[in-house]
């Protein structure tokens, strides 16, 4: 017994020395908000907390502590609901009816808390999915060249009256080569009159699937390259964004 007590006191002394070293290097930030907590420091705080509990209450044969602790930096993580259920065994001197009533009351509290937690997790999932989709779409964006033409009489007499004719190309060289020819869609016998040539970013819309690298979206862009179509038929479905905006 004396040896166990001596060993315990030595372990406590060593623990207090490490705890003092940890606490004597404060990082309270600049007072305007939470400091940027490093993962290594958080892990050290966690380990010290676990050891504190083990020094107080010990561990069982499986090296499990009777009290658990979890930590997270609130600036970087949101807490996940972690509800402790009251032990299902009957309390001392408790009748079976009283035990049942206590467990039902406990279950009701846990059910309500779990529903609140589920709503919070759903919102977190929506936010994370939206951020991931935005990142994937930005990474998949690529530059294209859109050429706008002066409408001919034949074009104005057609179903797209009042809408500018445009064509899309994967490079400036492709655009120049295309406008040097005679697109049949313009119904003229000479190269069309180019109004302007402008760079665009082809950004996959939200409805496009990112799991295959937006392969279907790229096919849609390529399919419209080298064709003269109304401006709205080009910009809206392909989600084109001007590089000048």
């Amino acid at each position: 017994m004396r040896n166990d007590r001596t060993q315990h006191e030595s372990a406590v002394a060593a623990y207090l020395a490490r705890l003092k070293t940890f606490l004597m290097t404060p990082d309270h930030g600049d007072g305007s908000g939470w400091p940027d907590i490093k993962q290594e420091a958080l892990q050290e705080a966690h380990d010290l907390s676990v050891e504190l509990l083990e020094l107080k209450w010990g561990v069982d044969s499986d090296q499990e502590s009777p009290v658990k602790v979890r930590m997270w930096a609130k600036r970087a993580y949101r807490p996940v609901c972690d509800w402790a259920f009251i032990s299902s065994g009957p309390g001392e001197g408790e009748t079976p009816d009283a035990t049942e009533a206590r467990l039902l009351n406990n279950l009701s509290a846990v059910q309500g808390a779990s529903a609140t937690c589920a709503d919070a997790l759903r919102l977190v999932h929506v936010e994370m999915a939206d951020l991931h989709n935005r990142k994937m779409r930005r990474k998949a964006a690529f530059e294209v060249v859109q050429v706008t033409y002066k409408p001919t009489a034949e074009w104005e007499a057609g179903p797209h009256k009042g809408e500018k004719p445009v064509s899309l190309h994967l490079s400036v060289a492709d655009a120049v080569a295309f406008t040097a020819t005679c697109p049949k869609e313009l119904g003229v016998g000479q190269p069309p009159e180019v109004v302007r040539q402008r760079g665009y970013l082809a950004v996959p819309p939200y409805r496009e699937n990112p799991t295959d690298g937006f392969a279907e979206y790229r096919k849609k862009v390529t399919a419209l390259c080298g064709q003269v179509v109304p401006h709205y038929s080009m910009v809206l479905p392909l989600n084109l964004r001007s590089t000048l905006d």
Side-chain angles (χ1 to χ4, degrees):
M1 184 69 179
R2 180 181 180 130
N3 289 338
D4 290 342
R5 181 68 180 183
T6 301
Q7 291 176 0
H8 180 75
E9 290 177 351
S10 298
V12 170
Y15 169 80
L16 291 176
R18 298 205 321 276
L19 179 62
K20 182 177 181 180
T21 300
F22 178 77
L23 295 178
M24 290 302 289
T25 56
D27 184 10
H28 297 166
D30 58 6
S32 62
W34 286 325
D36 184 14
I37 300 176
K38 303 300 182 184
Q39 185 60 39
E40 296 79 5
L42 186 64
Q43 184 62 49
E44 186 176 359
H46 176 272
D47 295 342
L48 286 168
S49 300
V50 170
E51 188 170 350
L52 167 68
L53 300 176
E54 292 180 354
L55 285 171
K56 175 63 177 177
W57 288 295
V59 294
D60 62 12
S61 58
D62 295 325
Q63 301 302 304
E64 284 288 329
S65 172
V67 179
K68 294 293 185 182
V69 61
R70 293 203 311 177
M71 291 185 180
W72 58 86
K74 293 171 68 175
R75 180 175 179 178
Y77 301 96
R78 293 189 181 184
V80 175
C81 298
D82 189 6
W83 303 104
F85 285 81
I86 299 175
S87 176
S88 60
E92 184 177 352
E94 191 175 50
T95 66
D97 288 343
T99 300
E100 184 177 282
R102 174 171 59 82
L103 294 178
L104 285 172
N105 183 64
N106 180 49
L107 183 60
S108 176
V110 171
Q111 185 272 332
S114 298
T116 301
C117 183
D119 290 340
L121 288 176
R122 179 182 59 81
L123 293 176
V124 171
H125 177 265
V126 170
E127 290 179 9
M128 292 182 65
D130 181 65
L131 288 174
H132 175 74
N133 188 276
R134 288 173 182 266
K135 182 175 71 174
M136 293 297 101
R137 291 168 64 236
R138 286 196 301 268
K139 292 179 66 175
F142 56 98
E143 290 187 350
V144 293
V145 178
Q146 179 178 285
V147 180
T148 303
Y149 306 96
K150 181 179 180 180
T152 62
E154 292 85 352
W155 179 277
E156 290 285 15
H160 306 301
K161 180 180 180 180
E163 180 67 20
K164 297 289 186 181
V166 297
S167 64
L168 191 69
H169 311 277
L170 294 178
S171 67
V172 174
D174 290 347
V176 171
F178 181 79
T179 53
T181 64
C182 175
K184 295 179 180 179
E185 293 87 342
L186 289 179
V188 294
Q190 66 276 347
E193 182 178 347
V194 175
V195 177
R196 67 176 179 271
Q197 180 175 291
R198 196 173 189 183
Y200 277 83
L201 274 179
V203 184
Y206 278 104
R207 62 180 177 272
E208 297 293 337
N209 182 18
T211 57
D212 59 357
F214 297 99
E216 288 300 318
Y217 173 72
R218 291 179 177 273
K219 289 181 181 178
K220 293 178 183 178
V221 175
T222 304
L224 282 174
C225 287
Q227 297 185 39
V228 178
V229 296
H231 179 267
Y232 70 88
S233 298
M234 183 78 73
V235 173
L236 295 183
L238 298 185
N239 197 34
L240 299 185
R241 301 180 183 179
S242 172
T243 55
L244 300 179
D245 294 342

